[in-house]
Amino acid sequence: MSHVIIGSGPIGSGVARLLVEQGERVRMVTRSGSGPEHRLIERVAADASDARRLTELARDAEVIYNCANPKYTEWADKWFPMNNAMIAAAKASGAVYAITGNLYGYGPQPGGRMTEDTPLAATGRKGRIRIKMWEDALASGIRTFEARASDYVGAGAVSTLSAVLLPAINKGRTAWAPGDVDAPHTFTYTGDMARTLVTLARDERAPGQAWHVPSGPAITMRELAARYCAAAGVPRVRVRSLPRFVMRTAGLVVPIARELAEMDYQFYAPFHMDSSRTERTFGLAPTDLEIALRETAAASEATAARRM
């Protein structure tokens, strides 16, 4: 089995579809055995934190893709055992360990601009978790790289667009977003993350480094909502900023609000991810935002139709 994918969310499923389109055989590992149905995809139910079991499943792997996504409130408990198990499996098989990463490790940055040379200076819990995961992978001696993305757009992506803007747009109501809705923010298409992982996993220049996924110019949440409405062919809605204290106050009693409040610096100030190094090195380019938004709209319509 050449490719083992941990996780079947939009990234893991996107990686699987790209690989089978190229005639590759894929083994997807999730706790429930979920994933796209295809004759070249073997879906296996297993605990990704079980190093022995994962090593067995990845015995002949050329690449192990970490596309897992524990619940926000479970990061401290779930991420390290899973990451350690994937590292052990990669070490045993000699596979490349391709990590789906994010920008949390950088923490707040002056001017909100980040390149791959930006120091990993996060002091928050989730940022420190991501830093240690990456450092542990590098220290293990395996061939590994991390593809880092900003907040996602695309079918199935969990983000500000899906969690905050879409529910309001679908109901024709004002969207109250937790952040400065006029601050520029980089968004990454899930399809571009999948394509970056597959491309870099085959390139000897990738291991040992982190790479930013090709992403378009930063836009504001207000503009994102307007462009989504245009792509979906629905009326625009008002987009207003939720006062910062609201989520922080809710976080005193609501665990998920507390986790979200920890990362709110990303949305109350400019947040720019520079992906030019990846684009130059590997000849990749970001997908047009309109394509990602039309895909998101189509998935939202399909979900609404199933509920009727």
Side-chain angles (χ1 to χ4, degrees):
M1 188 61 59
S2 296
H3 303 273
V4 173
I5 303 170
I6 316 301
S8 62
I11 306 303
S13 294
V15 169
R17 292 189 183 101
L18 284 175
L19 290 170
V20 298
E21 285 174 4
Q22 299 165 8
E24 301 280 2
R25 298 189 66 84
V26 170
R27 176 174 290 151
M28 298 196 76
V29 180
T30 66
R31 187 174 293 276
S32 63
S34 60
E37 294 185 4
H38 192 282
R39 62 180 180 82
L40 294 177
I41 298 177
E42 177 191 3
R43 298 178 298 176
V44 178
D47 181 355
S49 64
D50 184 337
R52 179 177 298 179
R53 177 64 173 144
L54 196 59
T55 297
E56 292 174 355
L57 292 171
R59 181 177 292 111
D60 300 321
E62 295 177 11
V63 185
I64 297 172
Y65 298 89
N66 179 353
C67 302
N69 188 27
K71 293 179 181 179
Y72 239 20
T73 53
E74 298 179 346
W75 273 33
D77 296 326
K78 297 290 182 67
W79 257 135
F80 294 132
M82 292 171 65
N83 189 53
N84 291 340
M86 292 183 226
I87 291 171
K91 183 173 292 188
S93 65
V96 171
Y97 181 33
I99 304 172
T100 304
N102 56 36
L103 309 180
Y104 289 9
Y106 298 129
Q109 293 294 321
R113 295 187 177 277
M114 290 153 287
T115 71
E116 291 90 341
D117 295 322
T118 299
L120 295 174
T123 57
R125 289 172 299 168
K126 287 185 288 298
R128 294 199 307 270
I129 288 171
R130 293 302 315 199
I131 292 172
K132 181 167 173 50
M133 287 173 59
W134 175 232
E135 290 179 343
D136 287 349
L138 287 175
S140 70
I142 62 174
R143 291 178 297 156
T144 185
F145 69 88
E146 185 168 271
R148 295 177 181 160
S150 190
D151 294 87
Y152 289 120
V153 293
V158 178
S159 66
T160 300
L161 175 61
S162 65
V164 177
L165 300 181
L166 291 192
I169 290 170
N170 291 339
K171 295 178 181 178
R173 299 176 179 174
T174 298
W176 289 88
D180 180 350
V181 298
D182 293 308
H185 190 97
T186 297
F187 290 91
T188 302
Y189 173 43
T190 52
D192 287 332
M193 169 58 92
R195 187 160 51 99
T196 299
L197 287 167
V198 170
T199 299
L200 272 59
R202 295 168 170 163
D203 198 306
E204 291 299 325
R205 295 172 293 179
Q209 299 183 61
W211 303 89
H212 287 177
V213 177
S215 303
I219 63 171
T220 68
M221 279 192 279
R222 193 187 304 277
E223 183 182 357
L224 180 66
R227 293 179 69 173
Y228 174 84
C229 290
V234 298
R236 290 189 181 188
V237 300
R238 296 179 65 187
V239 181
R240 302 187 64 180
S241 294
L242 190 70
R244 197 170 190 178
F245 74 86
V246 173
M247 290 296 287
R248 296 197 168 193
T249 301
L252 297 176
V253 293
V254 181
I256 187 60
R258 181 168 59 250
E259 299 298 333
L260 292 170
E262 179 191 330
M263 308 307 300
D264 67 5
Y265 67 86
Q266 298 177 101
F267 291 98
Y268 283 94
F271 196 75
H272 297 266
M273 181 186 76
D274 184 332
S275 58
S276 59
R277 179 179 297 175
T278 303
E279 295 173 39
R280 289 193 311 268
T281 304
F282 302 100
L284 297 173
T287 299
D288 190 284
L289 179 61
E290 304 308 314
I291 293 174
L293 294 178
R294 286 198 295 270
E295 177 189 292
T296 305
S300 179
E301 291 174 3
T303 300
R306 288 194 296 271
R307 291 173 177 168
M308 293 179 63

